[in-house]
Amino acid sequence: MELQNFAIAAASKSEISKPITQLQKWDAAYYAEKLKKQLFELDDELLKPYFKLENVIHGAFEVANRLFGLSFEKSTQVDKYHEDVMTYEVKNEDGSLNSIFYADFFPRKGKRNGAWMTSFKSQYIENDKNERPHVSIVCNFTKPTNTKPSLLTFNEVTTLFHEFGHALHGMLANTHYRSLSGTSVYWDFVELPSQILENWCYEKEALEIFARHYETDEVIPLEYIEKIKKAANFQEGLQTLRQLSFGMLDMSWHGINPSDITDVKAHERTIFEKTDLYPDVATSCMSTAFGHIFQGGYSAGYYSYKWAEVLDADAFEVFKEKGIFDRSTATSFKNHILSKGGTENPMLLYKRFRGSEPKIDALLKRAGLVT
Ligand SMILES: [Zn+2]
């Protein structure tokens, strides 16, 4: 309703737009962006000076150090596939080698877009020897020039922390078989270690470590942090409904005999009706364009995006209660979840850490959907 009223008012002021009486699906993203700008006055250029890449990397390493006692030493001894790749020897608190970490942050010709984590070598135990992993994260951030450092958008900061969370899952692995090591877990559990780490990007105590102006060294102002948090929840209700509707559509295709579905569009309508806030577009059909669930590896698994949010919000509650750098909570997270890979059912691992099954309350609260 807020968006519709805003759009009606905005369109009536504009000379080129036709008047809007009913907001349509295709209007939403455009007016949402305008409304967001008006509400939060927060744009990337304002924040970027506080997120110099080197500072953010240092921040991620410092968080890993305070939580898990890991330290990262830049190494020139490790073979690498491109000169842009940075390599680190990761040490445990007792000085023993934990892993080798590769960071490949800049775009170049022939490199795929996006961000991801890879294990070149997973951890495993053979002949009583604990073989330590070689873990890499890959992103595509703006490359520094001679006069300007690489400055990240806040979205890129959370991306780096997200991939670093996957990397920690790989680094802290401690299982016998490599096929069950690190991130080799059920699909709907693999995003817990990555998404939980994103939470540190919204915490003052963590931001003070690395969110410093690259020219003045000034710590990011508190009001910006508040704005980042508020903006993160912008239209969260709509986003939640959207993700749920996709999850339900996916499940509907894989949960019943598809040959019983004779009319694709009619079937889709019965699912979307429960969540749709906009009028249906008769000529559109999401099912036939839903690459995730038919060829993208998310068959009957699209729900895992939302489910991982339930898990990470619920798990992060413990850190919020005990302190975001509380060592015993971090050790418990490492021992019960990160180190175990896929050796046991995720729910058992989770309950050992949390003491109970995850509840949705923390996610609803974080998303600003309940107070
Ligand atoms: Zn991920």
Side-chain angles (χ1 to χ4, degrees):
M1 212 54 203
E2 182 190 29
L3 187 63
Q4 175 149 314
N5 290 340
F6 172 79
I8 291 169
S12 72
K13 276 184 226 145
S14 157
E15 287 166 18
I16 42 167
S17 299
K18 283 189 204 155
I20 286 181
T21 48
Q22 163 69 54
L23 202 62
Q24 301 290 342
K25 270 183 190 154
W26 56 81
D27 297 319
Y30 175 76
Y31 285 106
E33 199 51 42
K34 271 181 171 295
L35 178 60
K36 191 175 179 184
K37 265 214 162 110
Q38 191 189 67
L39 287 176
F40 304 109
E41 295 165 341
L42 192 71
D43 67 58
D44 284 344
E45 296 313 309
L46 193 70
L47 297 176
K48 273 166 82 172
Y50 295 95
F51 297 121
K52 185 175 146 185
L53 177 61
E54 286 79 357
N55 292 348
V56 181
I57 297 170
H58 163 73
F61 288 171
E62 183 64 23
V63 168
N65 182 267
R66 293 196 194 181
L67 294 176
F68 307 116
L70 298 177
S71 49
F72 293 73
E73 292 164 25
K74 216 168 186 170
S75 168
T76 51
Q77 305 301 311
V78 181
D79 287 343
K80 52 190 184 181
Y81 54 87
H82 191 275
E83 59 180 12
D84 280 357
V85 178
M86 294 180 280
T87 50
Y88 299 84
E89 278 190 24
V90 187
K91 299 277 174 67
N92 294 310
E93 217 150 30
D94 62 6
S96 60
L97 181 74
N98 170 278
S99 53
I100 302 293
F101 177 62
Y102 303 71
D104 178 358
F105 284 140
F106 306 119
R108 61 180 171 270
K109 208 167 172 258
K111 181 173 161 181
R112 181 154 67 94
N113 283 337
W116 62 93
M117 168 270 189
T118 323
S119 280
F120 295 137
K121 175 190 166 192
S122 296
Q123 174 275 339
Y124 62 95
I125 297 171
E126 195 168 87
N127 300 327
D128 290 333
K129 186 165 185 281
N130 199 325
E131 292 284 343
R132 299 311 306 168
H134 288 210
V135 171
S136 157
I137 64 172
V138 184
C139 302
N140 278 285
F141 300 140
T142 310
K143 204 171 177 172
T145 64
N146 286 338
T147 50
K148 198 145 192 214
S150 175
L151 301 175
L152 306 188
T153 63
F154 185 70
N155 200 12
E156 289 172 328
V157 174
T158 56
T159 299
L160 194 153
F161 271 70
H162 179 103
E163 300 310 332
F164 191 64
H166 282 307
L168 288 172
H169 201 183
M171 289 176 198
L172 294 168
N174 195 19
T175 65
H176 192 91
Y177 296 109
R178 84 178 85 185
S179 59
L180 295 172
S181 184
T183 53
S184 300
V185 297
Y186 285 169
W187 195 256
D188 64 359
F189 197 57
V190 74
E191 297 298 335
L192 168 61
S194 52
Q195 284 185 191
I196 195 171
L197 214 72
E198 291 181 37
N199 288 285
W200 273 262
C201 302
Y202 298 86
E203 295 293 324
K204 182 172 168 281
E205 222 183 322
L207 284 165
E208 279 171 357
I209 300 170
F210 65 91
R212 291 172 168 273
H213 196 284
Y214 79 101
E215 286 171 323
T216 62
D217 205 36
E218 170 213 13
V219 174
I220 190 166
L222 200 58
E223 57 162 320
Y224 289 2
I225 301 177
E226 289 307 318
K227 277 185 181 185
I228 290 172
K229 283 187 184 172
K230 279 198 186 126
N233 286 345
F234 176 65
Q235 292 197 335
E236 186 64 37
L238 273 177
Q239 296 304 335
T240 301
L241 278 182
R242 187 169 180 269
Q243 282 296 63
L244 291 179
S245 71
F246 291 163
M248 290 191 294
L249 181 64
D250 166 38
M251 234 12 141
S252 78
W253 276 107
H254 295 286
I256 52 178
N257 182 353
S259 54
D260 291 342
I261 302 170
T262 51
D263 183 331
V264 174
K265 175 73 181 175
H267 168 73
E268 183 173 302
R269 276 312 303 150
T270 62
I271 306 297
F272 281 169
E273 255 164 23
K274 297 168 197 153
T275 52
D276 239 358
L277 297 179
Y278 296 104
D280 178 47
V281 182
T283 48
S284 80
C285 187
M286 172 73 192
S287 296
T288 52
F290 203 172
H292 274 79
I293 66 166
F294 292 117
Q295 55 169 7
Y298 278 85
S299 310
Y302 194 88
Y303 76 92
S304 58
Y305 282 112
K306 209 54 187 170
W307 179 239
E309 285 183 46
V310 173
L311 292 174
D312 95 75
D314 187 67
F316 190 63
E317 280 293 289
V318 190
F319 285 98
K320 284 209 327 215
E321 281 160 24
K322 305 266 174 68
I324 64 161
F325 291 116
D326 180 59
R327 230 346 161 49
S328 65
T329 306
T331 304
S332 160
F333 193 67
K334 178 179 84 172
N335 291 346
H336 295 311
I337 293 180
L338 297 176
S339 67
K340 296 286 188 195
T343 54
E344 284 185 84
N345 184 292
M347 189 57 89
L348 287 177
L349 298 179
Y350 190 84
K351 284 201 296 201
R352 260 178 233 143
F353 165 69
R354 190 64 169 106
S356 60
E357 291 193 2
K359 298 183 194 72
I360 60 168
D361 307 41
L363 174 60
L364 293 178
K365 212 162 97 192
R366 185 178 71 185
L369 297 174
V370 295
T371 45

